[in-house]
Amino acid sequence: MRSLKHLFDNNRVWAAEMLQRDPQFFEKLVAQQTPQYLWIGCADSRVPANEITGLMPGEVFVHRNIANVVVHTDLNCLSVIQYAVEVLKVKHIIVCGHYGCGGVAAAMQTKEFGLIDNWLRHLKDLYQKHEAELEGIEDTALRLDRFCELNVVDQVYHVCHTTIVQGAWRRGQELAVHGWIYGIRDGMLKDLEVYVESADELDAVYRMAGKRL
Ligand code: CO
């Protein structure tokens, strides 16, 4: 399997289909990308941003990592946010988690997984922050689902606190941050209603998340 021929075969079929739908499709994409959305999601192969939102190439700028974590010292994630906000001028940043997230689940265990434990440390810290609520949920699957939701809320908060988003709002740039979660079992997206479009609304994030229960 040196060449992974089937993937190239798939690609040829896909490119032909795109041209059949719109003969200028690739020409237009070459000219520019003007996505309205930045998607920050989990690297999980079952949560592909474009497919589940029905968006075409050119319509969503994407950053994915394990458990959709936004860390203030992560230059990779911050660079994506900066480029999306300041150059592409996206109007929406969507932080999308998913139920049953393996990364979030791993952070709830004491088992060691290697290098990734350092990344999951961020989630372990979050678990401690929400320990009282999470430990109160008997059912382990439900507890994981709630932690997946709380993780989205926290990452929305982190996005809003970046100098990039704060700066955009100060300049009066139109920019909203959303927290969503995706159900692998049914393919449905759910809005967690932690919607922030100005620095003034930031403190309301946790209130909004709490109200949902
Ligand atoms: Co995941």
Side-chain angles (χ1 to χ4, degrees):
M1 288 298 259
R2 246 172 100 162
S3 67
L4 299 177
K5 184 177 172 298
H6 58 299
L7 298 186
F8 284 87
D9 292 343
N10 288 351
N11 169 250
R12 268 190 296 276
V13 171
W14 173 80
E17 277 172 6
M18 299 308 279
L19 284 176
Q20 209 168 20
R21 269 198 250 173
D22 177 1
Q24 269 86 49
F25 182 73
F26 294 108
E27 278 168 50
K28 282 189 248 172
L29 280 183
V30 169
Q32 71 181 130
Q33 61 161 342
T34 51
Q36 301 263 306
Y37 317 97
L38 163 61
W39 174 278
I40 299 175
C42 183
D44 194 305
S45 63
R46 298 165 296 180
V47 196
N50 283 78
E51 279 89 339
I52 63 178
T53 52
L55 291 171
M56 299 291 281
E59 293 184 326
V60 58
F61 202 60
V62 175
H63 178 77
R64 290 168 68 182
N65 61 38
I66 290 175
N68 42 273
V69 180
V70 177
V71 181
H72 287 288
T73 49
D74 178 359
L75 281 182
N76 183 355
C77 183
L78 291 178
S79 301
V80 170
I81 296 175
Q82 195 216 342
Y83 190 75
V85 171
E86 296 180 7
V87 181
L88 298 173
K89 299 216 167 9
V90 296
K91 293 197 165 54
H92 303 272
I93 299 176
I94 298 156
V95 177
C96 187
H98 66 99
Y99 290 122
C101 180
V104 175
M108 291 169 79
Q109 300 171 25
T110 48
K111 200 174 152 210
E112 288 187 12
F113 295 92
L115 174 70
I116 192 183
D117 291 324
N118 298 286
W119 183 251
L120 298 179
R121 191 72 245 167
H122 297 292
L123 289 159
K124 285 180 186 284
D125 292 344
L126 271 192
Y127 190 89
Q128 277 188 321
K129 185 172 149 192
H130 299 290
E131 201 168 11
E133 179 184 346
L134 292 169
E135 294 288 320
I137 303 170
E138 292 279 314
D139 186 290
T140 50
L142 288 179
R143 189 189 302 160
L144 169 60
D145 284 352
R146 181 57 182 156
F147 190 24
C148 290
E149 292 179 350
L150 289 171
N151 178 40
V152 171
V153 177
D154 275 288
Q155 304 314 331
V156 165
Y157 205 71
H158 291 166
V159 169
C160 294
H161 272 296
T162 58
T163 52
I164 304 147
V165 171
Q166 291 282 318
W169 283 335
R170 248 194 319 273
R171 292 191 301 274
Q173 187 176 332
E174 186 191 337
L175 180 65
V177 185
H178 308 252
W180 296 356
I181 195 151
Y182 174 76
I184 286 171
R185 278 186 216 97
D186 59 7
M188 299 304 288
L189 276 171
K190 185 162 86 179
D191 191 342
L192 290 173
E193 290 169 27
V194 282
Y195 173 81
V196 190
E197 57 178 358
S198 73
D200 308 336
E201 291 177 337
L202 204 41
D203 289 337
V205 168
Y206 286 106
R207 286 201 295 278
M208 286 189 272
K211 224 169 37 183
R212 232 184 37 75
L213 283 176

